[in-house]
Amino acid sequence: MRSFSYSRPSTFAEACHDSEHTRFLAGGTNLIDLMKSDVERPRHVVDIGSLPMRHIEDRPDGGLRLGALVTNADTAAHPLVTDRYPLLASAILAGASPQIRNMATNGGNLNQRTRCHYFYDPAMACNKRSPGTGCSARGGRNRIMAVLGTSDACIATFPSDMCIALAALNATINLHGPNGERVVGMRDYHCLPGDTPWRDNILQPGEIVTAIDLPPAPFGPHHTYLKVRDRLSFAFAIVSVAVGLRMKDGQIERGSIALGGMGTKPWCVPQAEALLEGQSPSHSLFRDVAGRLLHGAVADRDNAAKIRLAPRVIERALWQAASGTPQSQTDKTIR
């Protein structure tokens, strides 16, 4: 590991250094690995563990605020989350291992880097790690790579489970930086690779995530987080779907859907969600929604199976949500 300076500030003003060579340390489950692999080379590491961001609390509008330093494990187990946002708790429990969830923070989960194996190998060309060097994933071993939102410069898959649920819940992200505070919608927080694949999100130098706000949840039991992966534990999604439906008299008043494992960011298509409004659940409707969600998907050498599998996963998730039978985290069989 390369040498670096270290500080542990107690105020936001001290923490928010406007420098591209500074990295923020919370749980360390991603940054430390990247530093050990010589992918991240910060000159200064700011440990934000002393900042006041470890609370989960009610919001005046009936929503919930999740502090950025609350661990994933504590978030998933919190009574206000399990009672009002079980979709989020389910997504968190589907990710990583208990040991990692005990350390990983909500803010860190938002900002984690891709798990593309070419990104983690400094010997391989990667535009996300070293701009202008190329994308070794294209034409390489890319079974797990993205098929939505890709560009000529990058096909790395977005890795988080928690963020897929946050996108379906239409969460908002609170930021603090050298220029003050601002709020960004979850669906606008992460960036498509385009010609700048090294830019994962809209954070400016020196900005940190302070909290995540969840709006009042209208879904009741009509939600699910369905994740298909190579093994039951400690594996990233091949395809995952977060769904929430507002139902009345057997009809769908409003639907919210986000895909994971398929895109370069949490994948949401408002036009697909609009197809659900005022409709009764049906196979034809859910097929149309799946088709709209996957419109524009492009496969590379090894990942075409994702495009064939995803419609079945999306349809099953929609049926589970419509029938009020959320996915069990011990049942991952797709028939």
Side-chain angles (χ1 to χ4, degrees):
M1 187 180 292
R2 298 170 185 266
S3 62
F4 57 90
S5 58
Y6 171 88
S7 63
R8 188 177 171 86
S10 57
T11 67
F12 289 107
E14 295 172 340
C16 294
H17 292 274
D18 187 1
S19 172
E20 62 177 321
H21 301 296
T22 296
R23 294 294 180 269
F24 295 108
L25 174 68
T29 57
N30 191 204
L31 177 62
I32 300 302
D33 284 346
L34 292 170
M35 291 173 67
K36 287 180 177 179
S37 299
D38 206 29
V39 175
E40 286 280 7
R41 304 174 181 179
R43 297 178 186 173
H44 184 63
V45 172
V46 179
D47 185 341
I48 60 174
S50 294
L51 298 182
M53 301 185 292
R54 295 186 181 275
H55 301 287
I56 294 179
E57 55 192 6
D58 278 308
R59 298 287 295 151
D61 63 357
L64 201 63
R65 172 162 291 182
L66 311 175
L69 288 178
V70 182
T71 66
N72 288 174
D74 286 345
T75 300
H78 197 283
L80 292 176
V81 176
T82 57
D83 180 48
R84 287 151 52 181
Y85 302 92
L87 171 60
L88 176 60
S90 180
I92 292 173
L93 293 174
S97 66
Q99 294 90 339
I100 291 177
R101 292 195 297 267
N102 283 336
M103 291 298 297
T105 63
N106 293 333
N109 195 300
L110 283 174
N111 296 322
Q112 65 182 294
R113 306 300 304 275
T114 181
R115 267 34 179 212
C116 172
H117 33 269
Y118 296 108
F119 172 75
Y120 269 79
D121 184 354
M124 304 301 294
C126 173
N127 290 316
K128 187 178 282 291
R129 174 176 28 81
S130 302
T133 59
C135 178
S136 295
R138 283 200 165 276
R141 295 176 56 198
N142 55 26
R143 174 176 169 270
I144 66 169
M145 301 302 172
V147 296
L148 291 164
T150 61
S151 72
D152 290 340
C154 183
I155 60 172
T157 310
F158 182 80
S160 171
D161 289 283
M162 185 188 84
C163 289
I164 307 307
L166 292 177
L169 290 167
N170 282 289
T172 53
I173 313 302
N174 296 275
L175 307 175
H176 185 98
N179 297 319
E181 298 179 351
R182 61 177 177 140
V183 178
V184 179
M186 176 65 200
R187 295 188 177 194
D188 298 321
Y189 183 76
H190 296 97
C191 300
L192 293 172
D195 296 326
T196 56
W198 55 89
R199 186 168 172 79
D200 292 336
N201 52 56
I202 52 81
L203 281 176
Q204 299 296 326
E207 272 191 320
I208 60 174
V209 175
T210 60
I212 301 164
D213 286 347
L214 304 175
F219 305 133
H222 297 286
H223 66 87
T224 196
Y225 185 72
L226 176 54
K227 179 180 180 180
V228 177
R229 44 187 161 174
D230 288 329
R231 59 188 187 276
L232 187 58
S233 63
F234 202 73
F236 295 100
I238 301 300
V239 182
S240 67
V241 189
V243 180
L245 302 177
R246 187 168 67 194
M247 304 287 295
K248 184 177 181 180
D249 299 328
Q251 285 196 321
I252 302 168
E253 289 190 323
R254 184 171 69 83
S256 188
I257 312 172
L259 298 183
M262 297 291 290
T264 54
K265 60 178 287 185
W267 199 255
C268 303
V269 180
Q271 296 89 338
E273 294 169 323
L275 293 176
L276 295 166
E277 294 180 7
Q279 302 297 313
S280 297
S282 69
H283 290 289
S284 60
L285 172 64
F286 292 164
R287 281 196 299 270
D288 289 344
V289 171
R292 189 63 190 83
L293 279 166
L294 298 170
H295 178 73
V298 178
D300 204 85
R301 193 187 81 169
D302 295 333
N303 60 1
K306 283 192 174 192
I307 300 176
R308 297 192 297 270
L309 174 64
R312 298 163 61 193
V313 183
I314 294 167
E315 289 178 46
R316 175 166 172 172
L318 285 164
W319 277 116
Q320 287 179 344
S323 60
T325 55
Q327 176 72 17
S328 165
Q329 290 308 312
T330 61
D331 176 14
K332 298 297 184 294
T333 303
I334 296 297
R335 298 181 177 87

